[in-house]
Structures are given as structure tokens and as C-alpha cells.
Amino acid sequence: MSTAASRRPKRRRRTVIATATAAVALTVGLTATGCDAVNKALDCVQTADSIADSVTDLQQAVENAANDPTQTEESLTSIENNLDKIGDKTDNTDVNKAVDDLQAAVANVRTAVENGDNTPDLSPVTDAAGELTKVCTP
């Protein structure tokens, strides 16, 4: 993996963390007024951060597939579980589309791995995860 590609997940993670911090600040100010939308946005940001971590784990698992092929499966399952959490908590059309796109990308990687591809193309997963992070930003 190139140096630029290895830095990309870290940059996304920093963006997600910064966004989460901003969302926490908004939540503290608006919780007293019962702003449900802010709480949903915070849930989205937190779950998107977990997904960013899972995507990083997936990239590492694919790189190390020869040593432990179960890591790839675990990473894909982790992403899917986090996507289910977001999908259950939002009625935002953009978020739902980003979740659907990421689910499709993960399913494609899973199929490729099941068909014996030890180095599946992860760019659709990372792109979809970036889009999800973007739409989860309050």
C-alpha cells in the first residue's frame, strides 16, 4: 500500500474525531432543549468513527490475509454491525444512502474474498466510508 493510501484512514479518523468533538459541544448546548436531531447526529458520528476504525482494520487484515484469513471476515462483520446501528437510528436520506452504498461495497469485498481473492479492491469501501463520514457531520 502506498504511503498516501496509508495516511488516508488516519486523516479520516482525525476528521471524524474533530467532528465528534464539535457534535459533543453542540449536544451539551442543545440537550437541555431536547434536540433529538443533535443526539442522532452524535450517534451517527460515533458510529462512523467506529466504521473508520473497522475500515482501517479491514485494510490491515487484507494485507495480512496470508497469516490470518479470519481477520478479514471479522473486519467485514464489524463494519456491517456498525452500519446496522446507523441504519436503525436515522431517517436521514443522505445517511441512509451512504449506509446502503457502504453495505454494497462491503458485500462486494466479502464475495470477492469468498471467491478466493486475497487482495480485493477496497477503494469502494474506503470511498463509501468517507462519504458516510461526510454526511454524518452535523
Side-chain angles (χ1 to χ4, degrees), residues 24-127:
V24 169
L26 283 172
T27 302
V28 170
L30 297 174
T31 299
T33 63
C35 185
D36 207 30
V38 172
N39 289 330
K40 285 183 180 182
L42 182 58
D43 288 341
C44 185
V45 169
Q46 290 170 336
T47 307
D49 184 41
S50 295
I51 290 170
D53 290 341
S54 297
V55 169
T56 300
D57 292 344
L58 175 61
Q59 290 170 324
Q60 292 171 352
V62 167
E63 289 175 11
N64 299 318
N67 298 331
D68 186 1
T70 62
Q71 286 181 347
T72 302
E73 175 68 29
E74 290 170 7
S75 296
L76 291 168
T77 300
S78 176
I79 293 169
E80 290 169 335
N81 290 339
N82 283 318
L83 287 171
D84 288 343
K85 289 178 190 176
I86 292 177
D88 292 344
K89 292 182 179 180
T90 187
D91 56 0
N92 181 296
T93 305
D94 293 333
V95 172
N96 284 328
K97 181 178 179 339
V99 166
D100 291 346
D101 291 348
L102 186 49
Q103 285 173 328
V106 168
N108 288 339
V109 169
R110 184 181 298 282
T111 299
V113 170
E114 289 171 354
N115 289 335
D117 186 352
N118 292 327
T119 57
D121 180 12
L122 299 181
S123 60
V125 173
T126 57
D127 292 346

